Amino acid sequence: MSSEIEKKKTTVIICCAGMGTRLGIGTTKALVDVNGEPLIIRQLKLLDAFDDIRVVVGFDAERVINVVKEYRKDIMFVCNYEYEHNGPADSLKKALLGAREYVITLDGDTVMNPKDFEQFLVYPGECIAVTEDASCETIGAVVLNGMVEALAKKPGNMQWSGITKVRADKLRGNSSHVYEVLTPHLPMRAFPLRLKEINTPKDYENAMEWFTMEKSEVIQFVSIILGSILGILSEAKERNEMWTLKRAMEACERVEKMPRNRWAK
């Protein structure tokens, strides 16, 4: 494999077929509002560089399709008609038909730090994204020496929220749970990624608070950078003015030292 998994060899699959009953908003979690924008649109904006994106729909499929199509026309939609009776791995496997060599998976209920996710996308190899505090209801990950050694529905020293980058053939197991499909292929490189998963009303509150804080930190960082730039420009202007004044004074000194014109009256 090359130093970077090429985008032309990669399929992105977003699973959002579930009903989101624990959240209690009456629609799929992919349509939850995040600062005035549907969550799935925020995800798609981070994936603009990819040309093979598949969204698995089930509950409230028509609304999801309409919202996504308003943003981007080239998305492939895969229907999981049995969403009430099967699991996320079943949704994933329905979208694997004709997938490229590598697959990036994510769930439609995840708010990610954009910079971290950007680094994840360009990471040169297979990996599983892990985090510290995604949700009160998530899959535990045991991470040792930078490798994911185990995934299970019990606490680990990290958490996993469904984001992976692996070869497509590693996602074709028989289980209805993605973490069980991945288990035979562990250990695998762990990639730290700041994110929040939205499963319950409390998760949503935490995610919105976290999102606001992340946004404020970015604004603060930009303000610091702009302040530094303005300071540098101000210093440069001051130095330029001092240089101009110095040149003028040197010119005056040269004039004073010039011999007097003998024909001057």
Side-chain angles (χ1 to χ4, degrees), residues 3-258:
S3 61
E4 179 181 343
I5 295 177
E6 299 177 18
K7 295 180 177 63
K8 292 296 182 182
K9 294 182 179 179
T10 303
T11 294
V12 179
I13 300 176
I14 305 175
C15 294
C16 53
M19 299 177 67
T21 52
R22 289 172 293 173
L23 186 58
I25 61 173
T27 187
T28 176
K29 293 177 284 187
L31 297 180
V32 69
D33 182 276
V34 178
N35 199 35
E37 192 170 42
L39 175 52
I40 193 167
I41 300 302
R42 290 193 172 276
Q43 293 180 334
L44 289 173
K45 286 182 176 180
L46 298 175
L47 295 163
D48 274 345
F50 292 84
D51 62 359
D52 183 9
I53 300 178
R54 307 171 183 200
V55 176
V56 185
V57 296
F59 179 66
D60 215 359
E62 186 176 355
R63 282 188 63 195
V64 176
I65 292 171
N66 290 337
V67 167
V68 170
K69 280 187 172 180
E70 286 182 9
Y71 175 70
R72 187 166 166 176
K73 305 293 186 184
D74 64 339
I75 302 297
M76 179 189 296
F77 296 96
V78 180
C79 291
N80 178 4
Y81 296 105
E82 297 84 30
Y83 62 86
E84 293 185 74
H85 309 293
N86 57 25
D90 298 297
S91 288
L92 184 61
K93 282 179 279 189
K94 289 179 183 295
L96 283 174
L97 182 64
R100 295 173 178 174
E101 186 176 0
Y102 298 96
V103 172
I104 291 172
T105 72
L106 63 152
D107 294 335
D109 61 0
T110 308
V111 186
M112 300 159 293
N113 177 280
K115 289 190 176 298
D116 287 1
F117 191 62
E118 179 182 343
Q119 293 300 310
F120 168 82
L121 294 176
V122 300
Y123 178 77
E126 295 180 296
C127 59
I128 294 175
V130 295
T131 193
E132 292 183 345
D133 185 24
S135 166
C136 57
E137 299 180 10
T138 191
I139 302 301
V142 176
V143 179
L144 298 173
N145 300 318
M147 304 294 288
V148 177
E149 299 286 344
L151 295 170
K153 208 166 187 177
K154 59 183 180 180
N157 60 337
M158 298 290 282
Q159 294 181 350
W160 178 63
S161 293
I163 301 177
T164 61
K165 183 182 349 183
V166 296
R167 293 181 64 93
D169 56 7
K170 293 181 179 178
L171 296 170
R172 302 184 189 276
N174 295 321
S175 173
S176 290
H177 300 288
V178 182
Y179 70 91
E180 291 180 344
V181 172
L182 290 171
T183 293
H185 307 291
L186 300 178
M188 193 178 295
R189 176 62 58 187
F191 189 96
L193 200 162
R194 289 168 291 176
L195 57 82
K196 289 293 180 182
E197 186 177 345
I198 301 174
N199 292 314
T200 67
K202 183 63 177 176
D203 283 343
Y204 180 73
E205 292 177 12
N206 292 339
M208 294 308 99
E209 181 180 353
W210 174 80
F211 178 82
T212 302
M213 289 176 61
E214 291 277 306
K215 189 176 179 181
S216 298
E217 288 177 3
V218 170
I219 293 173
Q220 184 179 11
F221 176 74
V222 171
S223 298
I224 292 172
I225 295 298
L226 288 176
S228 299
I229 292 173
L230 290 174
I232 292 169
L233 290 175
S234 178
E235 291 176 7
K237 182 180 179 182
E238 184 176 341
R239 286 197 300 270
N240 185 57
E241 290 175 349
M242 292 297 294
W243 180 81
T244 303
L245 178 60
K246 182 180 179 182
R247 291 294 299 273
M249 292 176 67
E250 290 173 349
C252 289
E253 289 177 2
R254 286 196 298 270
V255 170
E256 286 294 326
K257 293 176 180 178
M258 289 176 64

